[in-house]
Amino acid sequence: MALPTSDTRVTYPDGALTSTGTVLHIEPRADGRAAVVLDETAFHPVDTAWPDQPADHGVLVSGSDEFEIRDAVTGVIHEGVLYLGRDLPVRGGTEGWIFVVAHIVDGPGPAVGDTVEIRVDGEYRRALSAGHTACHLASLALDAALADAWTKPVATDALGNPAFDALAIATSRIDANGSVDVYRIGKSLRKKGFTPATLDDLAAVELRANTLLEQWRSAGGAIRIERDAPELSARRTWVCELQGGRTDIPCGGTHLTDIHQLDQITVSLATNDIDGARELTMTTSTR
Ligand SMILES: [Zn+2]
């Protein structure tokens, strides 16, 4: 069966919840399910290289058949082989590789050549978008709250504060209306000039971050995803007109269109010590 020769075009960065596409490829899986690749989709897949935002929920409709989409993952095609999920051998954007969205449905699924409709669960998408927007704002607020903890000049974030988030992040997970970010404060961060003792008064850091978040939230600010092309592997940037400056952050996820759409956003911080390093966990919740 011929594999697609170009990237899946994705419409979720613009907020689309439905799309119509042609089935280009069906890959049967050992578990009886099938991976369905379309030319275009509104369905946000989990990004295997940086799995921060989970896949959407929704259905794929082909004529009178409706398939629940059990999962959606990014896949890559190289020399006639489709690699899915954790098998991905390279990161996005690599020259000569084709990047696709694989919708996982119960087998055998639709047929190659079918025109199908994608319908995304709008309520769950909205909750993930709120969680993702809040996650970006929280990381910027944490950078600002920890700005005085640095004794040497380091790389800065979109607002000009020392980039604690970018330099210390270990994992980031977005949920419906929230996120959990884990940071590692070890020898290399201390060498760069970070003072771990700043985290001894965690309540003060938390208060600074939450005060800033509430200022930003109440002021509001437009959000959009900028991109040069509709292909899955094209570079996308989260742009937010924040009180205090415009921010640009590379991002493959989905977002709200204005900070004002959040009724509340708060972070809570916790630390624990593991193997000579300190771990900071930031839990963000919003609604
Ligand atoms: Zn993002």
Side-chain angles (χ1 to χ4, degrees), residues 7-274:
D7 275 24
T8 307
R9 296 187 304 274
V10 294
T11 56
Y12 55 80
D14 305 325
L17 292 172
T18 59
S19 61
T20 302
T22 303
V23 177
L24 299 180
H25 181 73
I26 307 262
E27 186 100 347
R29 303 200 325 171
D31 62 3
R33 290 181 170 167
V36 181
V37 179
L38 309 174
D39 57 350
E40 181 169 309
T41 189
F43 206 90
H44 177 269
V46 64
D47 184 324
T48 319
W50 183 248
D52 58 349
Q53 182 176 334
D56 280 329
H57 291 165
V59 295
L60 183 153
V61 181
S62 178
S64 57
D65 295 329
E66 183 173 298
F67 301 92
E68 186 174 342
I69 300 172
R70 307 286 184 188
D71 195 8
V73 296
T74 53
V76 61
I77 295 168
H78 181 60
E79 292 180 346
V81 179
L82 172 61
Y83 299 91
L84 292 178
R86 282 171 297 133
D87 300 334
L88 283 197
V90 290
R91 285 186 71 91
T94 308
E95 196 77 27
W97 299 66
I98 292 158
F99 293 86
V100 297
V101 176
H103 311 76
I104 310 299
V105 300
D106 290 338
V112 170
D114 281 0
T115 299
V116 300
E117 201 188 324
I118 294 292
R119 294 179 196 157
V120 175
D121 176 339
E123 210 172 305
Y124 184 61
R125 162 73 72 76
R126 199 265 176 208
L128 291 178
S129 295
H132 204 144
T133 293
C135 179
H136 282 204
L137 294 173
S139 59
L140 290 166
L142 182 63
D143 285 353
L146 291 173
D148 293 338
W150 298 86
T151 58
K152 298 177 195 171
V154 285
T156 52
D157 68 14
L159 294 179
N161 290 307
F164 175 83
D165 175 80
L167 294 168
I169 191 85
T171 60
S172 180
R173 289 289 180 278
I174 289 150
D175 305 311
N177 298 309
S179 60
V180 178
D181 293 284
V182 178
Y183 301 94
R184 193 182 151 82
I185 297 107
K187 205 192 281 178
S188 77
L189 208 68
R190 290 198 296 272
K191 268 192 190 156
K192 288 191 175 93
F194 186 79
T195 313
T198 311
L199 299 174
D200 291 346
D201 191 356
L202 216 49
V205 178
E206 199 176 274
L207 180 63
R208 285 199 292 275
N210 281 327
T211 303
L212 197 51
L213 284 167
E214 180 50 27
Q215 277 173 21
W216 289 341
R217 195 203 62 78
S218 56
I223 299 165
R224 66 181 183 280
I225 301 290
E226 281 186 357
R227 54 178 179 162
D228 299 331
E231 279 76 29
L232 177 60
S233 64
R235 180 182 292 272
R236 292 186 281 283
T237 307
W238 179 81
V239 179
C240 180
E241 310 288 345
L242 206 55
Q243 187 201 47
R246 180 194 138 119
T247 67
D248 311 72
I249 296 176
C251 182
T254 68
H255 286 274
L256 301 179
T257 54
D258 198 291
I259 303 172
H260 242 337
Q261 292 165 316
L262 299 172
D263 288 330
Q264 188 195 311
I265 167 170
T266 51
V267 296
S268 64
L269 302 175
T271 54
N272 60 331
D273 294 315
I274 304 168

